[in-house]
């Protein structure tokens, strides 16, 4: 009987503990409901003077509801790397300027000491281990041509979300560097940047419907996926880059329905895989490029249904690369617009065991028809 009584007491004590715990949890939800929003301003006259100070204040504190770090237009320049993360409550944190007008909050990243690109990751904002953090309404600004600044670095399992059209880049050497982290957004804009995105070693950037302008056909790649890096950039416009997008050393780029204008090279598969096809009627095209589509180092490209308009060469493949370019549309309506125009340049050229498929291609051009295709040194065109 005494044993039964003791067991009954322990059972009642356990029930009391559960009841007490439930009351505490309920009290937390009452005091910190999931939809509660707390806003701290970040700038000289804000709650915190800068982003680094804001992070130091919250890095060890649980975040209940939603915490917004509101970046003010007068946020001081960033002259070193500001590291944010990790945080167990990252999904409750949002860093934002003016989501409806990113240009209103220009977050200036100063050049770091040393020559680019070796020192470029010594500045900007780095997020690490931040799963579900939001970033909206900010334009990352550098010093323009010759800058070695990087805007945003995403590392170590971070998953950063940005609403469509709320993040922009201007005058930086590199907009986003993703290594082992993910940036999920749409509608990115860039002006005067050497490169916009570099993804490697598990880095993933989803950025369809973007509009990217570089620093001219002698500087940088708009997008670069390296190793196991991946970039989604469908329906994206590229202009004024040395290379619009490149997949290197196993990286992958998906850029269907793209438009590459005034670049030295449009799409490039250099040991990686590029998917960039179109509808055969102009939804995917390279315009006024030295090379519209290029493959080397066993790169693979699926570019069926693209248009090459006023390009010196529509496609060039070398070094065991393979380009699927069936149903390409060749348009040459003004040789004055063709970079380094030569009447003896071939629209399709394959050398050194490279392979190009050109079935269903149509030609509207001013060169002799004998200069449509050339395969030499064990290159192959069908």
């Amino acid at each position: 009987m005494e044993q039964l009584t003791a067991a009954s007491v322990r059972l009642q004590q356990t029930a009391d503990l559960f009841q007490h715990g439930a009351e505490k949890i309920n009290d937390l939800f009452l005091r910190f409901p999931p939809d509660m929003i707390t806003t701290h301003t970040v700038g000289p006259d804000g709650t915190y003077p800068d982003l680094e100070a804001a992070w130091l204040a919250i890095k060890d504190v649980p975040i209940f509801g939603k915490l917004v770090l509101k970046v003010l237009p007068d946020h001081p320049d960033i002259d070193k790397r500001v590291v944010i993360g990790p945080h167990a409550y990252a999904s409750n944190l949002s860093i934002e300027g003016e989501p409806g007008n990113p240009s209103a909050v220009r977050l200036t990243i100063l050049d770091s000491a040393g020559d680019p690109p070796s020192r470029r990751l010594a500045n900007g904002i780095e997020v690490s281990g931040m799963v579900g953090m939001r970033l909206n309404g900010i334009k990352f600004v550098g010093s323009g041509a010759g800058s070695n600044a990087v805007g945003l670095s995403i590392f170590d399992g971070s998953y950063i979300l940005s609403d469509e059209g709320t993040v922009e880049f201007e005058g930086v050497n590199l907009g986003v560097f993703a290594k082992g982290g993910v940036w999920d957004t749409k509608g990115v804009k860039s002006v005067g940047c050497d490169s916009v995105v570099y993804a490697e070693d598990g880095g993933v950037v989803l950025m369809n419907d973007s509009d990217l302008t570089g620093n001219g056909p002698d500087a940088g790649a708009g997008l670069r996926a390296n190793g196991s890096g991946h970039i989604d950039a469908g329906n994206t416009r590229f202009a004024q880059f040395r290379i619009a997008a490149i997949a290197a050393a196993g990286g992958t780029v998906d850029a269907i329905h793209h438009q590459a204008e005034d670049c030295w090279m449009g799409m490039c598969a250099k040991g990686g895989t590029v998917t960039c096809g179109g509808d055969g009627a102009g939804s995917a095209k390279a315009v006024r490029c030295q090379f519209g589509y290029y493959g080397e180092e066993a790169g693979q490209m699926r570019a069926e249904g693209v248009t090459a308009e006023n390009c010196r060469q529509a496609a060039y493949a070398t070094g065991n690369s393979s380009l699927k370019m069936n149903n390409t549309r060749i348009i040459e309506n003004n040789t004055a617009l063709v970079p380094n125009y030569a009447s003896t340049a071939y629209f399709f050229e394959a050398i050194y065991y490279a392979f190009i498929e050109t079935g269903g291609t149509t030609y509207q051009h001013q060169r002799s028809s004998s200069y449509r295709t050339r395969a030499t040194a064990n290159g192959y065109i069908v």
Side-chain angles (χ1 to χ4, degrees):
M1 181 63 71
E2 291 179 359
Q3 289 177 333
L4 287 174
T5 301
S8 177
V9 170
R10 287 196 297 271
L11 187 61
Q12 183 60 49
Q13 288 173 338
T14 302
D16 290 342
L17 284 172
F18 273 108
Q19 178 65 28
H20 182 67
E23 291 173 355
K24 293 285 287 185
I25 292 172
N26 188 57
D27 180 60
L28 283 173
F29 273 101
L30 289 174
R31 290 192 296 128
F32 305 105
D35 59 350
M36 181 186 73
I37 299 176
T38 302
T39 300
H40 293 165
T41 52
V42 182
D45 297 322
T47 312
Y48 306 108
D50 54 40
L51 276 171
E52 184 176 35
W55 168 249
L56 291 175
I58 68 169
K59 69 184 185 71
D60 296 319
V61 179
I63 301 173
F64 297 104
K66 301 294 181 184
L67 174 60
V68 176
L69 297 180
K70 182 75 171 179
V71 181
L72 301 175
D74 61 349
H75 187 286
D77 298 344
I78 293 176
D79 61 356
K80 61 181 180 179
R81 192 187 315 188
V82 176
V83 180
I84 296 176
H87 201 296
Y89 295 81
S91 61
N92 291 346
L93 176 63
S94 176
I95 298 175
E96 64 178 55
E98 294 293 337
N101 182 18
S103 294
V105 179
R106 296 167 60 87
L107 197 59
T108 300
I109 312 295
L110 300 179
D111 290 346
S112 57
D115 295 326
S118 61
R119 293 284 297 172
R120 69 184 181 187
L121 292 182
N123 53 7
I125 296 175
E126 175 187 318
V127 290
S128 177
M130 299 295 284
V131 180
M133 189 188 87
R134 305 193 72 86
L135 176 73
N136 290 311
I138 291 175
K139 174 179 277 191
F140 292 88
V141 180
S143 59
S147 167
N148 69 352
V150 60
L152 179 67
S153 300
I154 303 172
F155 289 152
D156 301 334
S158 290
Y159 190 101
I160 308 304
L161 299 101
S162 299
D163 294 337
E164 182 173 358
T166 67
V167 178
E168 301 179 1
F169 302 94
E170 178 184 322
V172 294
N173 177 265
L174 175 62
V176 175
F177 179 54
K179 183 174 183 177
V182 178
W183 188 31
D184 188 346
T185 187
K186 293 178 73 174
V188 177
K189 293 183 179 180
S190 79
V191 177
C193 301
D194 287 346
S195 298
V196 184
V197 171
Y198 190 128
E200 70 172 10
D201 295 345
V204 175
V205 175
L206 310 175
M207 52 177 295
N208 294 318
D209 305 318
S210 295
D211 191 338
L212 312 176
T213 301
N215 269 326
D218 295 324
L223 309 178
R224 181 183 180 97
N226 196 61
S228 56
H230 174 75
I231 302 172
D232 263 10
N235 300 299
T236 290
R237 174 184 171 271
F238 305 84
Q240 293 290 322
F241 292 101
R242 180 170 177 81
I243 304 173
I246 180 172
T252 55
V253 172
D254 187 339
I256 62 170
H257 306 308
H258 62 277
Q259 182 160 322
E261 304 173 359
D262 301 303
C263 300
W264 180 69
M265 186 183 295
M267 300 290 131
C268 177
K270 184 179 181 179
T273 301
V274 177
T275 303
C276 58
D279 61 4
S283 72
K285 61 183 176 180
V287 182
R288 299 181 301 277
C289 298
Q290 178 94 356
F291 305 99
Y293 303 87
Y294 193 98
E296 61 179 329
E297 297 182 13
Q300 306 286 313
M301 184 180 295
R302 296 189 62 89
E304 288 98 342
V306 301
T307 296
E309 181 177 333
N310 291 319
C311 294
R312 187 178 190 275
Q313 290 189 278
Y316 185 94
T318 183
N320 292 289
S321 61
S322 175
L323 307 186
K324 292 183 179 295
M325 305 218 33
N326 298 310
N327 302 314
T328 295
R329 186 172 63 157
I330 303 290
I331 298 175
E332 183 180 79
N333 52 26
N334 187 344
T335 57
L337 300 177
V338 179
N340 299 313
Y341 172 76
S343 61
T344 55
Y346 291 85
F347 288 113
F348 295 98
E349 186 167 4
I351 66 173
Y352 299 128
Y353 300 95
F355 177 77
I356 305 177
E357 291 184 17
T358 64
T361 293
T362 61
Y363 297 87
Q364 174 193 331
H365 62 90
Q366 298 171 248
R367 304 177 206 182
S368 167
S369 293
S370 60
Y371 290 100
R372 288 182 174 179
T373 66
R374 179 170 70 172
T376 59
N378 296 300
Y380 194 57
I381 297 177
V382 296

